[in-house]
Amino acid sequence: MKDFVLKGNICYSKSKNDLFTQKNAYVVCVNGESKGVFAELPSQYMELPLVDYGDRIIIPGMIDLHIHAPQYAFRGMCMDLELMDWLNQYTFPEEEKYEDLDYAKKAYSIFVNEMQKGATTRAVLFATRHRPATELLMELMEQSGLVSYVGKVNMDRGATEALEEESAEISAHVTYGWINAVKDKFARTKPILTPRFIPCCTDELMEKLRQIQMTYGIPVQSHLSESPGEIDFVHFLRPDNAFYGEVYNDYDLFGKNDDINTDVKTVMAHCVWSTAEEVELMRKNGVFVAHCPASNMNLSSGIAPIRKYLDLNMKVGLGSDVAGGHSDSIFRAMTDAIQVSKMYWRYVDQEAKPVTFPEAFYMATLGGGEFFGKVGSFEEGYEFDAVILDDTSLAHPQELTVLERLERAVYLGIDRHGICAKYVAGEQIIF
Ligand code: GUN
Ligand code: FE
């Protein structure tokens, strides 16, 4: 069913600062796309099936721009170290297990099942460097009905021996085989090129990934300027580069480059410590920032200057970064983003106004949604992703506005037990 009408209290971002709400309104979906929100149902849609959600809240689905599926199993554990030690001691040993398809099946089934039940409708995923387990994850994501990009990770140095790929040659060879096998296989699940980060990728591998990207034109995801120790190490590995992001750019894996007429859709997680030059190149190239505040707190990475990115009109969305982040909830990421921005304002820069609730909601929907095309809004022409929230468990002595109810539902984590329906690209997800 891709043609229908939903009725309820509708909320969505029209722009960064404009969080629109309308009580008892109609949102129309035709052929998987929104036709807009109406106070009265236009006569041409009267014949469509209508689902009346009464006093519930209808919002666009949440977009998770950065999450590691194989780390889901140890979320909420092993939170005592900074990034580089955390990777070496906990993360790499866990990811080694995905060599074993039985383990991968068990773990990825739990992950996908939970994602299906949450408020996220689209996600950009890291898998591991193992091709069979990555394809299994793609199969499961496809069956879930969610839309995703999934990356087989490339890493030929800087990890445990069991997790590193044997050589740049082998890493590239496996990646070619993987992309050929999956690029046209699924309707909702697409491959994304995934150099883990510069400490794990030799120059030879990066050069091969450039060739692969040019051959297939697929998008790119990686990590950038997350943690001081990581950045020092990148300077040691690449002393001639002025800044970290320039390394990705040297291999044409950093957004749009007008000089050579390329436009590589790119998302970089974190960007906590990006220098002015790095920020300017991200802005110019249209690189998406996946802001992952929970991870940045858990790994003591720092606070990303999101006010600056928003004010520069950069492309910014939210990421859970499980298991650096302990929760896959983008509701939680919204409130974390607001809270850390207040600490940034208090401790770091009194000119950097805290992120507002409408801005956080924008990043969680329209901001991140742009990575998937026209996604994250109920404006006409947007793909129809919707989540219906039931906040009746949150009793209140007064009559609240829809906006007040939405903010409270996000802060109080209603996505844990109050989702009563979910639609992705016009299809209802049954969970
Ligand atoms: N940098 C390289 N790999 C990772 C990872 O798995 N998580 C985080 N947070 N940062 C990384
Ligand atoms: Fe990450």
Side-chain angles (χ1 to χ4, degrees):
M1 186 180 80
K2 288 195 163 184
D3 298 4
F4 54 85
V5 181
L6 306 184
K7 183 165 188 240
N9 300 313
I10 297 173
C11 312
Y12 70 96
S13 293
K14 290 196 172 194
S15 67
K16 225 169 28 184
N17 297 305
D18 185 1
L19 178 42
F20 172 85
T21 64
Q22 192 157 20
K23 220 171 148 53
N24 296 323
Y26 301 85
V27 59
V28 177
C29 175
V30 172
N31 205 16
E33 279 183 10
S34 178
K35 288 286 173 190
V37 173
F38 307 94
E40 303 289 336
L41 188 61
S43 57
Q44 72 262 39
Y45 304 127
M46 294 279 192
E47 303 301 315
L48 296 180
L50 183 145
V51 187
D52 188 347
Y53 284 110
D55 198 31
R56 292 173 180 143
I57 298 170
I58 303 176
I59 59 172
M62 296 292 111
I63 311 296
D64 191 340
L65 275 190
H66 184 74
I67 177 165
H68 297 259
Q71 297 174 18
Y72 193 76
F74 78 103
R75 74 198 187 289
M77 293 150 69
C78 314
M79 302 259 69
D80 56 330
L81 298 173
E82 287 188 55
L83 175 67
M84 300 306 270
D85 292 333
W86 174 81
L87 287 170
N88 285 311
Q89 292 190 37
Y90 303 125
T91 309
F92 294 152
E94 177 64 22
E95 289 193 13
E96 284 172 17
K97 300 191 178 118
Y98 289 76
E99 179 83 48
D100 173 1
L101 259 190
D102 289 336
Y103 182 78
K105 189 161 189 187
K106 238 191 260 173
Y108 280 153
S109 298
I110 295 170
F111 167 76
V112 173
N113 198 24
E114 292 299 315
M115 288 292 279
Q116 208 183 19
K117 287 193 270 191
T120 297
T121 50
R122 304 189 186 225
V124 187
L125 272 55
F126 270 60
T128 61
R129 63 97 160 160
H130 312 95
R131 177 179 159 182
T134 303
E135 289 186 29
L136 172 74
L137 175 62
M138 295 180 87
E139 302 268 359
L140 293 170
M141 284 303 292
E142 182 70 11
Q143 287 162 22
S144 76
L146 308 197
V147 172
S148 63
Y149 285 108
V150 178
K152 183 212 106 54
V153 176
N154 294 100
M155 46 193 302
D156 69 337
R157 69 171 173 195
T160 53
E161 207 182 313
L163 195 62
E164 277 169 21
E165 297 174 287
E166 292 85 338
S167 66
E169 191 91 55
I170 289 173
S171 178
H173 178 75
V174 174
T175 303
Y176 272 112
W178 165 66
I179 296 173
N180 281 328
V182 299
K183 70 182 170 41
D184 303 315
K185 187 171 179 185
F186 305 110
R188 294 176 269 268
T189 316
K190 300 290 173 194
I192 181 166
L193 205 60
T194 306
R196 183 170 203 126
F197 67 158
I198 297 305
C200 280
C201 299
T202 61
D203 294 355
E204 192 190 349
L205 176 57
M206 291 299 285
E207 178 55 37
K208 289 180 189 302
L209 296 181
R210 179 221 304 262
Q211 300 293 337
I212 293 175
Q213 200 291 325
M214 277 170 43
T215 306
Y216 296 101
I218 62 175
V220 172
Q221 64 176 344
S222 195
H223 297 93
L224 178 63
S225 297
E226 177 177 359
S227 184
E230 167 213 19
I231 296 163
D232 288 347
F233 192 42
V234 172
H235 284 314
F236 168 76
L237 293 168
R238 299 273 308 194
D240 295 337
N241 283 108
F243 52 95
Y244 189 165
E246 196 182 57
V247 188
Y248 296 108
N249 197 54
D250 281 353
Y251 296 99
D252 303 327
L253 301 174
F254 205 61
K256 180 164 69 140
N257 185 341
D258 289 335
D259 296 341
I260 53 165
N261 211 15
T262 54
D263 192 356
V264 182
K265 192 163 67 174
T266 304
V267 57
M268 289 286 160
H270 307 300
C271 308
V272 173
W273 298 100
S274 295
T275 62
E277 279 175 293
E278 185 165 281
V279 171
E280 176 50 21
L281 192 62
M282 284 191 286
R283 191 202 58 76
K284 181 165 152 271
N285 290 11
V287 171
F288 283 77
V289 175
H291 177 38
C292 308
S295 168
N296 299 156
M297 286 190 276
N298 289 329
L299 302 179
S300 306
S301 299
I303 307 175
I306 292 304
R307 164 59 51 215
K308 177 163 67 187
Y309 300 161
L310 288 170
D311 287 353
L312 286 168
N313 284 322
M314 289 167 62
K315 298 175 190 294
V316 194
L318 296 177
S320 64
D321 194 30
V322 162
H326 53 282
S327 165
D328 61 310
S329 164
I330 296 297
F331 279 19
R332 176 72 195 250
M334 271 192 249
T335 58
D336 286 341
I338 295 167
Q339 290 180 317
V340 299
S341 76
K342 290 177 177 172
M343 293 300 106
Y344 191 85
W345 170 76
R346 173 66 69 198
Y347 283 118
V348 184
D349 178 2
Q350 281 75 51
E351 301 293 310
K353 283 201 306 279
V355 170
T356 63
F357 181 72
E359 286 171 330
F361 193 83
Y362 163 85
M363 289 192 279
T365 54
L366 199 51
E370 194 188 335
F371 196 74
F372 291 87
K374 288 193 87 170
V375 169
S377 167
F378 292 135
E379 295 279 276
E380 185 174 3
Y382 276 75
E383 290 191 60
F384 193 88
D385 292 6
V387 171
I388 320 306
L389 303 173
D390 183 348
D391 65 345
T392 45
S393 63
L394 305 173
H396 198 282
Q398 298 157 27
E399 176 94 4
L400 299 178
T401 66
V402 175
L403 183 57
E404 286 169 334
R405 283 172 58 193
L406 175 65
E407 181 174 9
R408 194 173 70 130
V410 168
Y411 267 92
L412 300 184
I414 203 76
D415 55 341
R416 281 283 155 255
H417 52 270
I419 294 177
C420 54
K422 178 166 164 178
Y423 299 80
V424 182
E427 306 259 17
Q428 188 166 5
I429 305 295
I430 305 300
F431 52 85

